[in-house]
Amino acid sequence: MKPLHAGAFTLALAAALTAAGCGDGGSSGAGHAGTTLRYVAVGAPATALNDPHGGIGNQSDLTRFALLYDVLAKPGPNGTTEPRLATAFEPDARLTTWTVRLRANAAFTDGRPVRAADVLFSLRRIHQKAAENFGRLQMFDMAKARVLDDHTVTLVTTKPYAEVPRALESVTFVVPEGTTAFGKPVVGSGPYKMAGGNAQNAVLERNDKWWGPQPPTRRIEIRAVPDPQARAQAVLSGQADVAGSVNPATVRQAAGNRSVKVVHRPAVTMYPFVMRLDREPFDDPRVREAVKLAADRKELLDKVFLGYGKVGNDLLTPADPSSPAGVPERARDIARAKELLGQAGHGDGLNLTLSTTTSYPGMDTAATLFARQLGEAGIKVRVKTEPPDTYWTKVFAKKDFYTGFFGGIPFTDVARVSLLGDAPTNETAWRKPDWDAAYEKAMAVKDDGRRQRELGALQRRLRDEGGYVVWGVGDGLDLAASKVSGLPSGPGFDSVFIERVRLG
């Protein structure tokens, strides 16, 4: 999809809000100041959806689902888990059977109580749609799960798994048992309910019967907008109150503008360069190390993220509690890179194609800059910019060398999706049976400190031997009107829980 010109976007946004019943005379009018939050989120309108249990590609959809539906838990500070619909997660001695206790005062917006049967139905449906959602709950044997009473569920894992609470964070959207029609929003029990609009431009009204603290904002409008500059312009022009994930350049330009503020989500965005270990020339560890040593990480950080973030050290989840400490920074060493290439039989040079796209701000800039840096080590790189609408289906986990994306998810999620031998998108072909066995052993450790140290050792080995060049970690940057407060600043899924956002 081509980016909209800022002026065209303003007109389009105004038209969309009017069509949804939120224009003149609606909740966005002057007579409702302070009651409606207008939020433009990352999302392609053409792919917006209403099913919360399959693949969710749009941040706009995820944010809407987090308002409409309860989840068992959400990310807490410093990598902890904050119970939500659940009140407790109690494991047996082997860490294979978990008793999940639910709050007794939750109800769907149609008045029905939320029961354990609704929770188990929702979890089973998520499990059944594993092919769509990257095996989100693949650690469970749902056939053995049981409802003990109206407010208690027993879940069974296929192997000992110490981090079940974390596995049940954020995406465990609960719907009534037996729901089959997801062509439109279904009944939820979250802090808001659907009041109008559609998946592309949703109007949500506060659910005054929600079990949690009453949200301060009566109405929230969520619009899917794919272009980061258009999202920012919506706030700058007064057509929106919050724009999620804007360009670092926009943030710099907005400095000194007292009508807006920037919310930093520290070190949550990375565009690693991905090398497949099962294809030449990256099947040779000397080539992989040479590519890593050729990176000028500070230059990449300064020019792609404009310094909003920190230099990377080839660790995929540096903010995770299990990330290893004391790992020496990988310094640029062109001479050593050339030496390694010579040892690998590429003393006369090496020709590569690096795929990239414009899905996220700066992905194409990063690839172009990295290609120049690799050239200094004798690696000639052709950068191929692929269309963003097909990049994640035709390039991601398929091409030999490309620009990837990670958005602040926990290490256990990264392992499940991209690292274990049976991971649904093992994009680097990192298939190490001994690494998998060590991961399985670590996940059976009940003591948090010991388990994190063992997971950290696995991450260090991946850094040294794997196919990721993690050159930097950028801040997540949201632009908001100055009157907005309470926006979440945590990594990953924490950013979509916006029910505490306040206007004025």
Side-chain angles (χ1 to χ4, degrees), residues 56 58-59 62-63 66 71 73-76 84 133-134 136 166-173 265 268 407-410 413 416-417 488-499:
I56 306 173
N58 287 336
Q59 191 82 355
L62 199 58
T63 304
V71 292
K74 67 180 287 290
R84 189 95 165 186
N133 59 41
F134 301 107
R136 196 180 288 174
R166 209 169 198 193
L168 296 175
E169 285 179 357
S170 303
V171 292
T172 50
F173 302 112
R265 289 176 280 112
V268 299
I409 62 176
D413 280 358
R416 171 181 56 81
V417 172
S489 58
F493 290 120
D494 180 67
S495 65
V496 304
F497 291 91
I498 63 170
E499 76 277 355

Side-chain angles (χ1 to χ4, degrees), residues 166-483:
R166 209 169 198 193
L168 296 175
E169 285 179 357
S170 303
V171 292
T172 50
F173 302 112
V174 175
V175 301
E177 181 184 18
T179 303
T180 57
F182 288 87
K184 60 182 181 180
V186 301
V187 173
S189 61
Y192 283 79
K193 55 187 177 181
M194 200 76 174
N198 51 37
Q200 298 93 336
N201 185 59
V203 182
L204 281 64
E205 196 83 32
R206 184 170 60 206
N207 175 14
D208 289 328
K209 295 183 179 180
W210 187 50
W211 54 264
Q214 185 183 72
T217 304
R218 185 174 66 85
R219 180 171 284 199
I220 297 179
E221 298 165 358
I222 301 174
R223 175 152 172 82
V225 177
D227 180 54
Q229 185 57 37
R231 292 194 297 273
Q233 183 60 30
V235 173
L236 293 169
S237 65
Q239 291 291 314
D241 302 303
V242 180
S245 298
V246 299
N247 283 310
T250 301
V251 171
R252 181 170 288 181
Q253 292 165 5
N257 184 342
R258 298 179 64 182
S259 67
V260 297
K261 66 169 71 171
V262 177
V263 175
H264 291 253
R265 289 176 280 112
V268 299
T269 300
M270 59 177 67
Y271 307 146
F273 299 113
V274 181
M275 303 175 281
R276 284 195 67 96
L277 277 64
D278 60 346
R279 297 176 191 165
E280 295 182 347
F282 303 118
D283 57 345
D284 190 321
R286 294 169 296 189
V287 172
R288 300 197 298 273
E289 185 179 355
V291 170
K292 294 173 184 177
L293 288 172
D296 186 333
R297 297 155 192 267
K298 182 65 163 57
E299 184 183 30
L300 282 159
L301 178 71
D302 289 344
K303 292 185 177 178
V304 177
F305 292 133
L306 301 186
Y308 295 112
K310 61 182 182 180
V311 168
N313 194 23
D314 299 329
L315 294 167
L316 280 175
T317 56
D320 193 273
S322 66
S323 187
V327 181
E329 293 288 337
R330 196 188 299 278
R332 193 182 198 211
D333 191 337
I334 293 296
R336 177 59 177 160
K338 289 181 176 179
E339 181 182 352
L340 287 166
L341 289 171
Q343 293 174 7
H346 304 291
D348 294 331
L350 184 62
N351 294 314
L352 300 173
T353 296
L354 174 60
S355 296
T356 192
T357 191
T358 57
S359 290
Y360 293 92
M363 288 183 76
D364 52 341
T365 302
T368 301
L369 185 56
F370 190 46
R372 179 180 62 74
Q373 295 174 358
L374 290 175
E376 297 173 25
I379 304 174
K380 185 177 181 180
V381 178
R382 179 177 75 95
V383 175
K384 185 178 182 182
T385 302
E386 305 274 6
D389 55 342
T390 57
Y391 190 80
W392 305 105
T393 55
K394 294 186 177 181
V395 176
F396 169 68
K398 293 181 174 63
K399 292 293 181 72
D400 300 351
F401 192 31
Y402 64 90
T403 310
F405 173 83
F406 282 105
I409 62 176
F411 174 68
T412 50
D413 280 358
V414 175
R416 171 181 56 81
V417 172
S418 300
L419 299 175
L420 295 170
D422 60 353
T425 53
N426 193 327
E427 57 181 339
T428 62
W430 174 259
R431 295 186 176 91
K432 309 283 185 181
D434 61 329
W435 193 92
D436 289 5
Y439 178 84
E440 182 178 321
K441 177 175 173 289
M443 294 306 288
V445 173
K446 193 168 187 177
D447 180 76
D448 287 343
R450 180 184 156 199
R451 184 174 66 258
Q452 289 176 6
R453 288 191 296 273
E454 292 189 15
L455 292 175
L458 291 172
Q459 293 170 63
R460 179 153 187 174
R461 180 181 169 191
L462 177 70
R463 168 197 181 269
D464 294 339
E465 302 176 21
Y468 289 106
V469 183
V470 183
W471 51 265
V473 191
D475 293 348
L477 302 170
D478 300 332
L479 189 67
S482 58
K483 63 183 177 180

